[in-house]
Amino acid sequence: MGGRVTGAAGALAEELPGWVTLVRAPNPGPMTLDGTNTWVLRAAPDAPAVVVDPGPADETHLAAIAAHGPVGLVLITHGHPDHTEGAPRLRELLGGVPVLAADPAHTAGGPPLADDTRLDGALGIRLLRTPGHTADSVCLLVEHAGERVVLTGDTILGRGTTVVAHPDGHLGDYLSSLALLATYRGVPALPGHGPALADCGAAAEFYLAHRRARLDQVRAAVAAGATTAPEVVAVVYADVDRSLWWAAEWSVRAQLEHLGVEQP
């Protein structure tokens, strides 16, 4: 969700590496921006591809992904339905390839993602544990042919800022994850929604500054007498469409927990 920040968190990537293809799902909306980004990575024309985030259970979208076969592996950045709902059907279309996620509930045909999980060696995929948006959120550092990218899921979006989905999400974890991503300066970020960004590290630093500013606003709202998450939302997110206040309340509850403010 964008909050007051609706533009990109940094410069847009001018072009993607030749081994990266975007297949965007037709599920645009306030929470999904232009739609869920499904990324297809292939080390060589005849090599099996790696698909990241199958997206929703939309037959046209899943067929478009399958058309990029052969596919050897499907990876999931986190368990929200707009990233995972299509995974079982896509696995059928692809002949039962493994679908791996940090959460066993979204894993099939192999072990859940862990620090020592063996991924596609041709692409040099490294798992980055980045909880915060959700407890199971991961990012993927991928290196091939002298180029690197970070697939950020919903931890960093191509436009606007993301929701810390309390209680599953945790603001302290999220800030730590952003600090980790800030070390990848100059590496393009391929997000779960919105356009690709030129610099993952710069985007993470922008997000960190935004979160700290938002925490200051929440502190001020509490000091002025706001006692519940809805009351804080009404002050801090006053310029956000009310139809999105339910999502803002997730983040506010995470912020209040981070600040040690007891909530009813």
Side-chain angles (χ1 to χ4, degrees):
M1 156 176 182
R4 289 183 185 144
V5 179
T6 57
L12 303 185
E14 295 184 1
E15 60 181 355
L16 300 176
W19 42 273
V20 174
T21 300
L22 170 61
V23 183
R24 180 169 285 141
N27 61 334
M31 301 296 289
T32 56
L33 304 182
D34 309 303
T36 300
N37 292 339
T38 297
W39 297 100
V40 181
L41 316 175
R42 191 185 306 276
D46 58 347
V50 175
V51 170
V52 179
D53 286 344
D58 179 276
E59 284 293 327
T60 300
H61 175 62
L62 298 176
I65 300 170
H68 287 275
V71 172
L73 179 64
V74 177
L75 300 175
I76 288 173
T77 62
H78 67 290
H80 280 165
D82 57 308
H83 293 256
T84 63
E85 196 176 49
R89 174 60 176 151
L90 180 63
R91 188 167 186 254
E92 289 181 7
L93 293 173
L94 297 176
V97 302
V99 176
L100 306 185
D103 186 343
H106 301 293
T107 299
L113 289 174
D115 293 340
D116 58 352
T117 301
R118 184 180 179 85
L119 299 173
D120 188 296
L123 285 169
I125 302 175
R126 178 184 166 197
L127 181 71
L128 303 177
R129 290 197 172 275
T130 52
H133 170 66
T134 60
D136 68 335
S137 287
V138 300
C139 294
L140 302 166
L141 175 66
V142 186
E143 184 168 3
H144 180 63
E147 297 176 287
R148 295 195 299 169
V149 297
V150 179
L151 291 100
T152 58
D154 284 3
T155 301
I156 292 177
L157 304 179
R159 188 170 65 251
T161 56
T162 196
V163 168
V164 176
H166 182 83
D168 183 45
H170 185 275
L171 184 57
D173 288 344
Y174 187 59
L175 296 174
S176 296
S177 294
L178 290 177
L180 170 63
L181 294 178
T183 65
Y184 292 96
R185 292 301 300 256
V187 180
L190 308 184
H193 304 279
L197 301 174
D199 190 329
C200 179
E205 289 176 355
F206 176 89
Y207 267 42
L208 280 167
H210 170 73
R211 289 291 168 182
R212 289 166 183 149
R214 190 66 92 195
L215 276 171
D216 287 342
Q217 293 172 332
V218 172
R219 284 190 190 95
V222 171
T227 59
T228 67
E231 290 174 352
V232 173
V233 168
V235 175
V236 175
Y237 292 84
D239 60 345
V240 174
D241 191 302
R242 284 175 177 258
S243 66
L244 297 176
W245 279 15
W246 63 271
E249 189 172 322
W250 282 352
S251 285
V252 166
R253 289 190 181 280
Q255 290 158 343
L256 291 173
E257 179 185 62
H258 185 73
L259 295 172
V261 177
E262 290 192 14
Q263 303 170 62

